[in-house]
Amino acid sequence: MGDEKETAAGAQGGCLCGAIRYRVTHPIEKLILCHCTDCQKSSATGASVNAVIPSERFEIVKGAPKIFSKVVDSGNTLHRAFCGDCGSPVFTRRDNAPQVTVLKVGTLDAPIGMKIAMNIWTSSARPWMHIDATLENHPKGRPMPPATPPA
């Protein structure tokens, strides 16, 4: 049961070979499946399983990931961080939202209590991927929350 407490308060993870290790000090519960063609290619799967967390709550504690940057279908520049030794994708960040880190949850040590909550870029999903109609689904990227006016 210690893993559940760790996941509720934060989590640790890393790449396949252990060269990259990180710590997250933010609860992770809801996951997003991204079906864009870039995520399909970078993960070599039908979708990337992600958790959106505040960048200030994510810390690399060992190693230094390599970065591959590309303008993606949304028009944003996406920076993909991965292990230069084993190739594991670890996280992404966008130029237009550096305050947000998109964690590749397959790299977590103990992904307990997390559930898929949303599918994005379903318009480019592989025909063999199951899209759960009971979830929030978007043919393109996820809608951004409305900006709150300054107080």
Side-chain angles (χ1 to χ4, degrees):
M1 302 306 162
D3 287 340
E4 289 179 30
K5 184 176 184 213
E6 177 187 50
T7 303
Q12 295 181 10
C15 67
L16 180 63
C17 72
I20 306 291
R21 295 291 301 160
Y22 63 81
R23 177 178 23 249
V24 176
T25 57
H26 184 77
I28 300 171
E29 297 170 351
K30 297 179 180 179
L31 305 179
I32 300 172
L33 283 178
C34 181
H35 300 270
C36 78
T37 54
D38 284 315
C39 278
Q40 291 172 23
K41 288 187 181 271
S42 71
S43 66
T45 63
S48 177
V49 185
N50 305 302
V52 178
I53 57 174
S55 293
E56 65 190 20
R57 307 295 294 275
F58 176 81
E59 177 187 12
I60 297 289
V61 295
K62 179 183 174 192
K66 287 193 166 219
I67 305 293
F68 172 74
S69 301
K70 180 181 183 230
V71 176
V72 294
D73 289 341
S74 65
N76 296 309
T77 299
L78 189 69
H79 307 284
R80 295 184 181 278
F82 63 96
C83 176
D85 293 332
C86 68
S88 296
V90 180
F91 67 92
T92 61
R93 289 191 179 131
R94 296 180 300 182
D95 273 351
N96 68 332
Q99 72 279 11
V100 174
T101 294
V102 178
L103 180 66
K104 307 304 176 181
V105 297
T107 62
L108 285 166
D109 292 342
I112 296 171
M114 301 171 195
K115 294 186 178 185
I116 303 295
M118 179 188 308
N119 287 280
I120 59 173
W121 290 96
T122 57
S123 61
S124 55
R126 300 289 178 156
W128 38 263
M129 284 297 293
H130 171 74
I131 306 292
D132 185 343
T134 65
L135 299 177
E136 186 177 344
N137 295 304
H138 301 280
K140 300 282 182 196
R142 73 184 172 98
M144 296 305 288
T148 53

